[in-house]
Amino acid sequence: MPELGIVIVSHSADIAKGLVSLIREVAPDIPLTATGGLEDGGLGSSFDHVQVAVDSQPANRLLAFYDLGSSRMNLEMLEEFSDKEILIQQV
């Protein structure tokens, strides 16, 4: 199991996808999950999507980066329920 993973949470699916591409270029061996936007393709942060990004991480210690307030709020709520150690940082 990997020691450390990265989770990206953005209000924009395009930003999340772009960050994943960029990070994979410089750190290809670090497990990376990301989520961005709402179910309808609009801007926003979905608790359910954030939960999937965290739960699908193979690592138990996560660096979680977010862009705006509700993304942080969703990560903080998950931090309370998850068995994973989540270190939250703003991008």
Side-chain angles (χ1 to χ4, degrees), residues 10-15 36-46 67-68 70:
S10 176
H11 278 62
S12 165
D14 292 335
I15 289 174
L38 299 173
E39 290 80 7
D40 65 3
L43 295 176
S45 180
S46 162
D67 57 4
L68 297 171
S70 61

Side-chain angles (χ1 to χ4, degrees), residues 14-37:
D14 292 335
I15 289 174
K17 289 176 190 173
L19 284 171
V20 166
S21 296
L22 183 62
I23 293 168
R24 286 212 169 113
E25 285 294 316
V26 297
D29 297 330
I30 295 177
L32 177 62
T33 55
T35 185

